[in-house]
Amino acid sequence: TLPNGMKVALLPRKTRGATVNVELRMDFGDEKSLFGQATLASATAAMLSKGTTKHDRQAFDDALDGMLAKLSFNGDGQVMSATGQTTREHLDGLLALTAEALQSPTFVPDEADKLKREWLADIEQGRTDPDAIARRALGRLNNPYPHGDVRYVSTIDEDLAYVKAVTPAAMKAFHDKFYGASHVEIAVVGDFDPAAVRAQLTALFGSW
């Protein structure tokens, strides 16, 4: 456990191709502080890899390609998760880029608009996709939570309205309010030096 409360689990082991996998989970908020903000939470997480104060989206993607790495972020209700993979020689770079995305995203309006267009198109497809219809119907069945609760299962029209209402300013405000490492857990598994990784994680996240 780092001084700020972040919990770290390290499992070094030999792997084919010297690969390393990283999983990170951040918990935040409660049903009151997150009321009406479930879509905003998901949008904020989705924007983390689309530009930072040091890398625009293309440079961010190029940095990952240069490290033969993968990195994705996902937000759902009270949880933001990150999943990454690279090789031993590039692990320090991947961890640094992960910290950069978490701590200094820029929420560029053009990238936010692109994300919203793609999101709206996916939601509209759910009107005719049998699997999506079934999953939404099952989620709404006996759902006791009020409209606006992070556990509430919304209708397609409600989802469309939520996404259209999201703005870069709102995402930045959400990030400033909820993001931090005191309620983060991270696990690193694969071919790496645990002492070096522990030191790097302390330097990257220990005071955040």
Side-chain angles (χ1 to χ4, degrees):
T1 302
L2 301 187
N4 62 352
M6 181 175 176
K7 296 181 179 180
V8 178
L10 304 175
L11 180 60
R13 53 179 295 181
K14 292 298 180 182
T15 57
R16 179 177 297 179
T19 57
V20 188
N21 288 277
V22 179
E23 294 280 346
L24 180 147
R25 172 188 170 110
M26 177 189 298
D27 296 292
F28 46 73
D30 55 27
E31 71 277 12
K32 293 181 180 179
S33 63
L34 290 170
F35 193 87
Q37 300 189 78
T39 300
L40 183 56
S42 296
T44 301
M47 285 292 290
L48 296 178
S49 61
K50 302 187 187 305
T52 71
T53 54
K54 295 181 180 179
H55 297 85
D56 61 21
R57 179 176 182 169
Q58 187 60 56
F60 192 93
D61 290 343
D62 290 345
L64 288 174
D65 290 342
M67 293 185 289
L68 304 176
K70 298 177 182 177
L71 179 62
S72 61
F73 298 92
N74 181 63
D76 183 17
Q78 293 178 257
V79 177
M80 188 287 303
S81 59
T83 302
Q85 183 182 71
T86 188
T87 58
R88 180 186 179 104
E89 66 176 310
H90 295 302
L91 178 59
D92 58 343
L94 177 63
L95 292 176
L97 198 62
T98 302
E100 179 185 321
L102 289 172
Q103 296 172 17
S104 58
T106 50
F107 305 109
V108 176
D110 287 349
E111 293 294 344
D113 288 342
K114 182 179 179 181
L115 172 67
K116 289 172 65 174
R117 288 194 300 270
E118 294 172 350
W119 204 347
L120 291 170
D122 287 342
I123 294 171
E124 285 288 2
Q125 287 183 353
R127 292 189 189 275
T128 56
D129 178 10
D131 181 61
I133 292 171
R135 282 187 285 106
R136 189 180 295 268
L138 183 60
R140 289 180 60 80
L141 187 65
N142 294 327
N143 186 298
Y145 303 107
H147 183 228
D149 191 288
V150 293
R151 297 160 294 185
Y152 172 76
V153 178
S154 53
T155 66
I156 286 180
D157 288 336
E158 287 170 342
D159 275 346
L160 292 173
Y162 293 153
V163 173
K164 290 176 182 177
V166 170
T167 65
M171 287 186 277
K172 183 181 185 306
F174 186 93
H175 178 272
D176 291 345
K177 181 177 181 179
F178 290 107
Y179 276 53
S182 59
H183 294 285
V184 167
E185 299 173 344
I186 186 170
V188 183
V189 180
D191 194 338
F192 66 94
D193 178 351
V197 170
R198 184 181 298 111
Q200 185 185 12
L201 290 175
T202 301
L204 291 173
F205 295 105
S207 61
W208 187 42

